[in-house]
Amino acid sequence: MMNRKLSHARIGLVALAIGALSACASMMQASAPAKVSDGALVGPNGMTLYTFDRDAASPGRSACNGPCVANWPPLMADGTAQSTGDWSVIARDDGQKQWAYKGKPLYFWAKDGKPGDKNGDGFNKVWHTATP
């Protein structure tokens, strides 16, 4: 009888430990590379993010390369970044990695001076504020 009680106690402790480990693992998962502010996606620096009409939504490829990048810096992903949910990591032509939201690569506008600026929205009728 005593062994049975100890066995049940061990099972309870194992279940508790598994639950705690699961909670820790979910907290360790990477958070989204951007957040929403005033209806727009913004990068970790609080600056507005944009999408480019000339980017193909599938399979998620950037058409902004070379001189374009000087004005429209990509939201870069580090080498360990992994796609999750609506967020994906795409390979750029230069081999670096960039974040995309719902298949559309994300960029900053070099002429936005402070968080909240949306000066790139509508630029050349092909750049748009990224929205969730």
Side-chain angles (χ1 to χ4, degrees):
M1 186 66 105
M2 182 65 98
N3 284 340
R4 208 178 267 168
K5 285 183 180 179
L6 283 175
S7 183
H8 288 292
R10 286 184 191 139
I11 290 171
L13 286 174
V14 168
L16 182 64
I18 289 171
L21 286 173
S22 294
C24 288
S26 66
M27 285 188 283
M28 289 173 41
Q29 289 178 351
S31 60
K35 62 184 179 180
V36 178
S37 178
D38 194 27
L41 291 177
V42 298
N45 59 0
M47 300 300 283
T48 303
L49 291 166
Y50 299 90
T51 59
F52 184 34
D53 286 345
R54 295 186 184 141
D55 286 337
S58 182
R61 187 162 180 86
S62 174
C64 180
N65 294 289
C68 177
V69 174
N71 287 318
W72 300 97
L75 175 60
M76 301 305 291
D78 67 30
T80 63
Q82 294 184 7
S83 300
T84 179
D86 288 331
W87 298 98
S88 56
V89 178
I90 63 165
R92 297 185 46 76
D93 286 358
D94 62 7
Q96 295 187 42
K97 296 187 183 289
Q98 178 178 0
W99 283 108
Y101 182 72
K102 295 185 177 179
K104 292 198 152 266
L106 297 170
Y107 307 87
F108 297 100
W109 172 229
K111 296 184 181 179
D112 279 347
K114 64 186 181 312
D117 282 354
K118 296 178 184 172
N119 299 319
D121 191 39
F123 186 81
N124 284 345
K125 299 181 182 175
V126 295
W127 291 94
H128 309 284
T129 301
T131 58

